[in-house]
Each structure stands twice: as structure tokens, then as C-alpha cells.
Amino acid sequence: MVVENKVNKPVDKIPSTLTIASIDNVNKRSSYAAVKSTDVHRGFDGTSVQLVEPKPQSISLNLDERLVVLPGETFTYGNTDYTCINHKTSQKVTSFFQSFVISSNLNLLNAPRDTSGKCCDEIKDSLETDFTQNVIHECFTAVLNDSQFLEEKRFSQMTDYNIDEHVNHELYLYDLNRVVNYLDMTALVYVTGSAVNIFEEHDNSIKPIVQLRANPDSNHSINLLNKNGLYFPLISRQDYFDGVLFQESIDIKDTITLRSVNNFNQKLSSIVDIYSSLNSGQASVKYRRRTTKLPHYAIHNSKICTDLVDDMIKDSAACLSKNVEKVSFDLIDFESTVPEKRAADSVSTVLFEFCYNNLLSLNGSNNLGKTNLQTFISEKNSNIPVETANVKYHSLLNEQADSKETLKTILDTLHQDFKIGRELKHLVVVGDGKTYDLLVKLKLELKDDLSWLLPFPGDWHILKNYQRMIMKLYLDAGLKELIELFHHGAVGASVMQATNFDKTHHFLMQVWEAFYLQQISAILKYAEENDLNDQSEENYIKKVSFILQNQELSQDEKIQQHLALMSHFSLQFKNLCCRLSEQNENWKFWHDFIHYHGFIYVSYFLSIRSGNWHLRNYCLKHVAKTTQITDCKFYSRLLPFHIADLKSFPKSTIEHFEEGGWVVNILGRNMHSQGLDEAHESCINREVKNAMSNFFTLSALTKLVHYIPFRAKVLGNIKDQLECKRKDFNNSVNRPSFEIQNITSYRESIESGLFFRYENGQLKHAFNSKVVLTDIQRSDLLNLQKIAQEHLGKYIKIYIIRPEKIATFSTKTHSISKVKRELKDQRTENSLLRKQIAWSKEQNTPISDLQQFISLPRAIVDHDGLPYKGDKSKTLGIYHSRYPEAFENKLHFKPDCVIIDGMFILNSKPLKSSNRLFAHFLVSLFNRWIIPYIQLNTKEIHIVFDDQSPQLSPKDIERKRRDEKAETSAKILISETTKIPSDWQAFLHNRENKKQLVQLVSEKFLHFAKIALNSGQSFVIGGGFENASITKVVEENTEKIATNLQTNISEGDSRVWFHAYNSQCKNILIYSLDNDTYHIGLPIMQKCSDKNIAVQLSYKNDLIFFSMNRFIRCLESDPDLHSIEKDDLPLIIQNLFILTGCDYVSFFKDHGKTSFFKTFFKYTEFIISSVENNVIGKLSLTNSDDISSFLSFIRLIGCEYWRKCSSAFLREKLETPEQLYRTVYSSNLSPEENHIAWISKIREALYSRVPSEEFYLPSFDALFLHWKRSYWVSRVWIQAYCENVQYPSLTDFGWKLEIDGQLDVIWDSPENLQKVINNIKLWTAGCNCLKSDCNSKICGCKKINMACGPGCKCGSSCKNKNVNSQVCNTEETEENTAEAVASTQVLYNSESDGSDFGDDTMDGSVFFELQNVDDDDLENIIFNFQYQQLA
């Protein structure tokens, strides 16, 4: 949502100077903030957009940066500029109609033309000719069919023929060399419904002479210029850029469409009527194109739209046969160029001069230079003022910038405001690291739609992250002790961690200067104490030393002599430093800090302040190297990409950057420029935050208004008395005394440490010589530059040549209603446990049965009665860490066949700036997903879709969950001419909309493929039609049904394997981001052993390739799986994935994929192989009657829950679940009974170690039903290669059909459910004898000969209590049982309970007693719930 947009109207007109947009988050959290973002906090989390003209006076846009549109002669009429477009026609009548045609179609209007006016594009030239002939034929046919017009009198009035002459009307009309007259004009208006304005030249200008309109509602106004009888299109530039219809007119290719656009569906009675209104003087008012959008049905029709799309696909396919110039990269592109090295050498000289001028301090004086580095350089530049930038406020959005959807909205707005593609070719957009990353990803995903975007990373944020890199390398080597000299506590921690930019920056600048000065001092001292071999070195270095120690010279004389020796001294200083670096490792290490990492930091900072583009790039390339060795994963990826991307920037943009257009100078002061992102923070973000913080009441503002004038007057008088004058910011600013003291103290500490030593020695800690480094540490620290260079080279070779496309996913948080339901269940459980404990104490009887109080097994079902949902993507992380050989960032083979799960390509939100209609969206999808594979000459390209009208499936339950969480829009009828909906995800969540879209995509993709495919290629689509079993193929421009690929498989993740199995290709790539896909294919790979198959997936926001062949080989060589036969491995891993949770069966609460797989690999032999010669189970799920497979699953579950309660068995010295099994094993029991006894032991141990029943082990029956549901999924998946899949009956495998036909899950056996009901009634239902002693038939319990139980309300006088007798309600009649079931359903039907969770009672016969729950207990319940959610 846009909170505020274009407050200062920064884009009133297209800028003529370089303009850069910057995007950043605005985060303001305070109790007095003006904007309230959530119920918990007051504040604002949004996105601000700022526009900057870095140098509005000196940098102008070149011609190649502004689109040269509408070339031709320019005229002015009134306040409007018109452009006359030339064309090739010499026939007068044809020129009239052809000019009208060119003005009616944007493609023809913008088409490049040669000097004669002919279209350079053959397709557009053909369109222009055909459209012109169509209009001429329609107009003349209308004339010849008009009886009024054919009258000789009427004919002579509208033409130049004499009334007495005999006329052949048809011959006259088709004489195209004749003069155009009212006949042609009125016929054109009559046929097309357009308004036509005729102009002619007049005194080097133009003037209107005829204005015709047949329809008062016409939206299409055409201006034509008459030049000596020939007509030419005359285009108003204002109408061209403001009029929406000019953009919509891209689809106008015949008179039918024109009439639709003009709402002109009913013709006038005769052409004569138009001429009559013209003669009567009813001249139409000049008409401008309407600037409001029309309904889609008034603009397009399907046929024309189809023709347009065909042309676009032809253009895309034509590009494949041309040699498109691509930007190539090599390692040399990441090395410093000659200008960059010159810039670095120049700065190096300046930095040495700066420190050299402070040499006076080396002779015992603390009089450091009075100016800091910035001022020193500014004075060298004579304090020349810098051009001030224009900073403009564009918009403020109530959305986070770290979102693709937000950035799409912003880019759409910028595209519209800057008229990208119409006036400007490119726009530089700047953001911090995260924003830049998303911009790059969007550009890679949307390709041509964002070809105008030039993403640029914020240099201030890069410099800020470089601080952290330096601290990582040098903090523990000695910088930490220097920081602690002046910074302590939180401030010191912020410097060490580089979280405070200003404090860390000041420290690094000061400590770098101190190191440099101390190194010079150490060199001079070394020259005094040692004889130098080189006579020249001895001369210059000792001369400088002598001058410093000479007390007879004044400071001015010393400075003069220093300057005379500086250049010679500099050279000898560098040589001697290199020699000492070879002798002493400490010297080398800190020399690298001064002259490499520290130098890069200082130079990068100076490049920003000065706007030196070459110096910036030099530093950036070295920062990119450092990122590779400092665990800076984010920038280690972004910086190499940015360096490579700069090569593809337009030459003119790079030239502007070289002129200083990449920085912002707000004050006009030399050496005080800012990075684009830094200026964003200091301008718009600061103003927004201040506006939110400075929120005054009316009374406060009133007082302030009266107080400010008085205060201003007083301050003015004081300044006049004190003769205060405003400082000239262009003059040098003295260095603060504390900065001089800091540098001096740093130097003293450096001198006392082991930083610069002359003798030979190994690398040691600068202040603590006891710290011993290993050989590996020493080697790494002394070769940081070399290692960084090698790592960067490896990264570039792997990634830069193949930019990666990245997709992300997000999940929604719990709703308040869900929190209420979970709290209610927990309070119910706690209340009943309290009663059980109280009753045990009252009766002095221990609790013998660990009762369950929640009717559903909460470990696998949530509070809505839906399967518990976990994260199945964790499986990929397990495989990636355990079997890295199966993954690759670049595919090791060229795919002959590509199979795409089509449901994933529809989810990305279309970019509105380039996808206004579904026709545009279809073209962009085809260009993005299909054209690249056509270009690679892939033999087979398959797209498969889910069946949008599937039969009853367990996945319906998961779909129901998704539908309840998602916002859904209403159903709309879509076609190519339908406009893209504003909320794309809400549109897709309507399943009818998705079904229409799938069918539209399938139909049009087949059509496009006929145009774009090369010879020998085939394009296949399956599941995308009304009959989802049909598969269609396009081969050699022919569409037909692929009978060998027809199947009843309903899910796309399974259908991809059906296509892979039936493909004749050997190298197959499957694109599917669903983790189910590669698990489905595991058993099928045994039938495709002769094929190389890889699945393209998303892992940690990166796209990777998962080799199925390598993965199976990794499984076979895994030592933990050696007890499993190789042929069984794929199926067992698949079943392990199913049993632990997928879209069809539930996950286990607090036991995710990672935990289950670790358990499986740890206890593989126990889970899979025989146990005491009792039973063999393989998790094979091959037969629903095979109990051994189920018992293997029980062992898996038991081992997994063992880790939660293993401490309970330490006294028995049982360290593994297998040892526990052997203790309970009895040969007299059946295998099933042995497993029940074993799992019961674990359940009992868990009872006191879990906070609630949702973490409790489900019952044996509930696990058996879960296993049956998993068996159903396994049976379906294993048939994924079959044409006719046999779906087992759902009602036989743990599901049931409700009365309304919906599918539901059977969570537990009726016996267990009844037992829970009895437990609840035992502690909640009973008599209500508050006054009697329960000794008569009035008592409900006495009446049915039952003892009063813990659920009764009777008091201590009750005489019907008998511990040994049966307690009330433990056995029920069928009628009472039915009532109990109904009551329990009320209890657990949280949806029907509209009361707040603080109520003490609920509907039905079941009731609570929560009056004894104090506030502390309730807080504990809430805390436990929150902790569980966080965990």
C-alpha cells in the first residue's frame, strides 16, 4: 500500500540529467510514533523511494540513453508539439489511408524507417501494407453500397466531378493517384468510427482545416498533415505519452478492432450524414486521446490479440537464428584495469604524503597535523566547491523492501513515471545488500521485462560490511587490545562487532594512521641502528632521520627539507618494508594491514567522499576477494556478480559514473560526497523518522509557535554581542584534540607490542607472546591475499558464467483463533489432571492408569482436526549435508529432454509494467521458460500440470488447509484480452481461476510452439486440458495427441516421472521445486538405469541440480545402510519420507524430518533387520497385510521418541532402544505383542517428560492407521510410470467419507476414542447433590447403583463414596455413550464455541472447574504454549 506518493512531484517531466532511484527500508519503533503498525508495537516498517540527480548541471543524458521516438519534422500548434512521420507512399489516396493506419498502431508508429520512409522490419512493413489495403477496401465497399452517395448530385458535391459527367464510381474510387477529398475522409470516419483532424502547413507552422467525427463517444483521434496533396501522420507528443490508447493501439490491425475501440458498433444511416453535419458548420471540438483506461472488452478482441502474440513469438524465435551479442566474462575482468591502478597509486601517494607531513610527531612532539585526512585532500584540491545534487522524495510504502512483491510494485511505478521504453532506455536503481539481491533476482527471472533495470549496490553498506571483515581478520591479533584503550562495555562491543558504523569507522581511520606513523618511525629507527647495503637508502632515510633530530632547524625549515626528500624517501621506505616483511612474520602481517586491507578501507571511503569511480572499482574488486575468506556469504555472492554486471551497463551510464554520478553531494563541499544509499539514509529516511517522532499535541504546537520567535531574537542578540560569525565550510576544519590524543595513545601501544620487530621471528600475538599459533593458522594469516584471490577465482569460474535464478518461500504465522483453540485444549488437559491428582490425594490411592484426555492423537493432528503440517524441505538439507556428491551447481550434462512441473511457473506475480493483459503474460512465460530450451536445441520440452478437477484424493485435506489460510478472489472469466488481476496470489487461490489459466497456457503454448520450434524439436503438454488425461505434442509445426503419454495420473510431481520414463532421450532434466518429486522417482530410477536424470530444486534460496543417479549410488555406498539390500534402498528411503510426513499423511509434532532421518541412520539395523529372530521389517510397504513392515515402522517411531525419554532408563543401564526391546521381549508373546509392550514402556516414560498430549506418543491403533495411510501413498507413487494407475480404496486405508462427500481422516480406533470419552466423563460428569448426602434415589449416582466419583459436585457429607466399588460413568449404556460422544464433540469442536477462552463452562453435559486455576498457572500455560511455538 502506498502511504504517500510523489509529494514533491519529482517526475513532472522526464529528466534530462542522470537520475538515480534508491530504495530502502524505513524502520521506526517508538511509543510516540505517528503511525501504528501492529497491535503490540507502535511504529512503522515501510519502504521509501528517493530520486537523486547527482550532478544536475554537468551531467546530461546522452542520445543513446533517451529513446529517439517519432523521428520526423516537428511543428508547434498552440502549446503542443507535433511530429510528422515520413512514409514511402507516393500515391495521394494511399498516403491518406496509410497515414491513418500508421497513426492507429503503436508498433507501426515506433517502427524504424529508412530515408524513404519504408519500415526496416519486414513483418511490420507487411502489416502496414495489409492493414492499409484492409481499410481502403472497407471504406470503398461502404461507399459503393450507399445508395444516397451514388446519386449524381451527392457525388458531385463530395468529389471534383462535374454533375453532367458520366462517372464509373468504382474506377474513380480505386484511382489512388487522384486528390483526396471529403468522400475519402467521411468514408474513413464512417467505417472506423475514428475522429479525423486534417492539418496543413501554414507559415512554417500548421493549422487545422477539417475536423470530422462520426461518433461523439469516439476515443480514437487521428491527426493527418496535408503536404502538397500527400498525407502524413501527425503525432502530438503530449497525447502520445499521456494517452493510454496509444499503448493499447498496439493491437489495432483492422477496422473491426477500431470500431470496438471507438464504441462505434452501430453505423449511421449513410456516409452522407457525416458530410451533411460537416457542411452545416457543426465542427467537432478538437479531441485528445482519452487518458483513462477502457474496459478490456472495448479495446481488444481475441483474433487481433492472437495475431499480436504470434508476431511477438515470431520475433522471439527469430532471435534464436541471429548471433545475439552476449557479454562474456573472464578472470581478467575481475583484475584491476590501468585507470584503476593509477587511481590507487595516486591515493597511495597522497596517503604517504599525509603521514609524512606528520613526521614532526616522531621526534617526541605530540603536535600531529592539525587537519584530518579529508581536509588535507580537500586543501590539496584548493577546496574547489562540488556541484550540489538534487534530492527528491518519490514515495513511501507501508511494505517492507525485503520483498519481491514490494519491489515489483516500486519498479512498476518507476517504469510508469519515467516512461521507460518510451522516453528513457534505462534507470539505475540502488539498494542495500538485500534490496540489490532481490533486484538482481527479479531481473534474472523476468529478463526482458526488466531489461531497462540497472541494479546497483549501495557502497556505504558495502563499506560497513567491510568493517566486519577487517575485524574478523585482525581483532584477535591485536586490535581488540587497542579498542579497549578507549571503548568499554557496549560501546566497545559495538566497535569489535562493527555494528556501529561511525564509531568503528573513526577507530579504523585513527588506528590505521597510528600504524602508518609507527611503521615510518620503526623504519627510521632501523636505519639508525643498522648499516644499509644500498648507499642510496642510507643517504635518504638517514637524512630524514637527521632532519627530525636536528634541534637547530625550525619546524618550517624541517617541513621544507622533508618535502624535498619525500619522493626519494617514499621509494626507499617501500623497499625496506618489503625486505623486513621477508625477515619477520609479524612485520609482514601488520604491513598487509596497513598497505592492503587498511589501505583498501581508507581508499574506498575516500572514493565515496571524492566520487572517484576508478578508485571505487579498484577497492571493490579487492573487497570482493576478502569476502571469500571471511564467511561473508551474502556479499561474497553479490560483489562478484556486480563487478561482472558492470560490464553489461550502457557505456553512457559508466561515463556518467566516471564523472561522479554514482555519489551524492548535498552540501557542495569538497571531499564530502556520500554514497547513494548513505544519502538515502541521511535524507528521506531521517526526515520520515523525524516526522514520526516529532508528534506534538495542539497545545504543545501553540506554545512552540509563541516561543520560537522570542528564542530566535534572543539568540540573534547574543551572536551580535559576541560577534559570532558563521564558519566557512569550504575552509579547513581543525582536527579535534581527542582524535590527536587517540592516535598518540594508539602509537604508544603499538610501539610496546610485537607489531614491528626487525629480528627474524614467527607470527605471534601482538600483545601476548604466549599465544601459540598452529602452522595452518600461520600459513593462512600470512597468505590472506593469495588465498582470497584463489577463492574468488574458483567462485567466478563456477557461478559468474552462469548467473543463478533464485526463488523464495514464506509461511504464515498462527492466527489468533488457533492460539485460542490451543490454549483451550491445554486448559482442559490441565484441569482434568488437577482433578485426577486431587482425587488420588483425597482417596489416598495412587494413580494406576496414565489416562488420555484429548480425544484425538495430538502428535499427528492439529487443533482443527487436520493432519499436522511440518517442513518436508528439511529432507533436502539432510541429503545435501550427507551426500554432497549428488548435488551440483552446474549441470554436468546437456539435457536432451526437459520436463517442467507447470504449476510452479504460474506462481510468480506478473510485472504489471510489461504484462497488462494475459496475452502479454503468456508471451513472457513462453519466452522465459521455453525459448531458452529451444535456443539450446533441446529435443523434447515437456510441461505437465496437475489435474484441476481431480477425483477424490487425500490431498484434498491439504488443499482445504491452504484454501482456509489464503485470501481468495472471485472467479473471473479469463482470455488473452483479460487484464492481469491486481492480486495475483488471490486470483490463483480460486481453483476455478487456476483451472482456466492452466487451460489457457496449455492452448497458447501449443500455438506458440508451432511458430518457435526448430526442426527436430518437439513440445509436449500434459494435464492442461479439460480432459486432464490427454497429452498433446507439437512436432514439425503440427499439433497432435500423444497417445503414448495419456495417463490418469492427477499430480504433476508424479506425471513428470511418467514422461521421463516414456521419453526416448537419455539425458533428462526435471524442473520441480517440490520435495515430493525426487522421492517419487527413487524406485522408478531402477527402471531408468540407462538414463541420466537430474531434478532442479531450490536449496537455501539457490537453484541446484540433484542428480538422481549419483544419489542412488551414494545410498548404496552409505556404511550406515549396509544392512539393507541395494534393490530395497530406493523404496525404503521413499517410504521413510512418506511415513514421517508429506502432503497426504501427517507429520509428527516436535519430530521433524531431520530428527527422523538421523534416528533412522543411527538405528538402521534395529529398524530394518531381525530382532532376536522375531520378525523382519523393511519399511517396504509392499503389502497391506504384511505386519512386519508395520512393526518396522513401530521400531522407527519408538527409536525416535526414545531420545525424548532415554534418561528414564539410565537406572536400568539401558542405553539404546534395542536394549530396552530385549528386556521386554518374550518368546511366549507374538511379535505384535512384544512391540506393544516395548512401545508402552516408552509411552509411560514420556508421560512425565512432555508438556502436553500433543507431544505424547500416539496409541498403537493410531500408528497403525497412520501406517495404512502411508501405504496408500506408497502404492500410488510406485505406479508413477504407469499409464493407468490403480488407486486403492481410500476407505480401506484410514480415511472415511462424510455425509457431504468430503474426505476425512480416521485418527484412532473406536475403542481408544471411547476410552478417552470415558476418561473425560469420569472427571467431569456426575451428580450435583450439594445439600444431600447422596444416600437416596435423588442422587443420580445412587439411582443407577454407582458410587460417586471425582466428577460429582457432592461435598464431604457424601455417603455414596466407595473406593472399592465401581465409580460412576465408567460404563455406559449405548444411549449414554452416544450422549457422551456428542458432549465430547462439543468439547473439542472449538469452531462452534464462540465464547472467549476465559469462560469457565461449555455447552453440553461436560463442564470444567477452573476456579482453582490461579493467575500464575495460567501464565505458565501461556508461556508453555509460546515456548512450544518458538521451539
Side-chain angles (χ1 to χ4, degrees), residues 751-817:
E751 186 175 10
S752 65
L754 301 177
F755 293 93
F756 301 110
R757 291 291 182 265
Y758 316 123
E759 65 278 3
N760 295 337
Q762 292 185 344
L763 181 61
K764 297 180 180 180
H765 191 280
F767 295 103
N768 186 358
S769 59
K770 295 181 180 180
V771 176
V772 180
L773 299 177
T774 64
D775 292 340
I776 296 177
Q777 287 177 308
R778 287 179 47 252
S779 176
D780 288 348
L781 290 172
L782 294 174
N783 297 280
L784 292 175
Q785 297 182 46
K786 181 181 178 181
I787 296 173
Q789 178 69 33
E790 292 175 353
H791 285 211
L792 180 63
K794 292 178 182 178
Y795 182 88
I796 292 169
K797 289 179 180 178
I798 296 174
Y799 293 102
I800 299 301
I801 306 302
R802 186 189 61 82
E804 298 176 88
K805 295 181 276 187
I806 300 171
T808 59
F809 300 88
S810 61
T811 57
K812 293 192 174 184
T813 56
H814 291 291
S815 63
I816 296 176
S817 60

Side-chain angles (χ1 to χ4, degrees), residues 1348-1409:
C1348 291
C1352 296
K1353 292 276 187 170
C1354 51
S1356 58
S1357 61
C1358 176
K1359 296 181 180 180
N1360 191 35
K1361 290 181 180 178
N1362 186 353
V1363 178
N1364 296 323
S1365 64
Q1366 190 176 15
V1367 180
C1368 177
N1369 295 324
T1370 55
E1371 292 183 359
E1372 299 289 341
T1373 63
E1374 292 183 3
E1375 182 179 355
N1376 291 335
T1377 301
E1379 293 177 358
V1381 172
S1383 300
T1384 307
Q1385 289 175 347
V1386 172
L1387 174 63
Y1388 293 103
N1389 186 7
S1390 302
E1391 296 288 350
S1392 63
D1393 180 20
S1395 61
D1396 294 334
F1397 62 84
D1399 293 348
D1400 292 335
T1401 60
M1402 303 186 72
D1403 297 336
S1405 61
V1406 182
F1407 61 88
F1408 303 107
E1409 282 189 334

Side-chain angles (χ1 to χ4, degrees), residues 961-1022:
R961 183 208 308 273
R962 296 173 183 173
D963 292 343
E964 289 176 351
K965 290 184 177 181
E967 296 180 3
T968 305
S969 64
K971 176 186 175 181
I972 60 174
L973 295 176
I974 64 172
S975 64
E976 296 170 85
T977 60
T978 308
K979 294 191 176 181
I980 297 293
S982 57
D983 192 336
W984 183 252
Q985 292 303 322
F987 165 79
L988 288 181
H989 284 143
N990 186 307
R991 300 201 176 275
E992 289 297 322
N993 292 340
K994 183 183 288 188
K995 179 178 180 180
Q996 292 183 78
L997 180 59
V998 167
Q999 294 179 4
L1000 180 63
V1001 169
S1002 301
E1003 175 190 347
K1004 300 311 298 180
F1005 272 28
L1006 289 171
H1007 181 69
F1008 298 161
K1010 296 177 186 178
I1011 302 171
L1013 285 182
N1014 299 321
S1015 177
Q1017 290 182 310
S1018 61
F1019 178 76
V1020 181
I1021 284 190

Side-chain angles (χ1 to χ4, degrees), residues 376-389:
F376 174 79
I377 298 176
S378 180
E379 289 177 346
K380 286 181 67 67
N381 297 333
S382 303
N383 288 320
I384 300 175
V386 180
E387 185 177 350
T388 304

Side-chain angles (χ1 to χ4, degrees), residues 1119-1132:
D1120 289 334
L1121 305 178
H1122 72 277
S1123 60
I1124 306 175
E1125 295 181 8
K1126 292 183 178 181
D1127 293 340
D1128 294 335
L1129 266 174
L1131 186 59
I1132 288 177

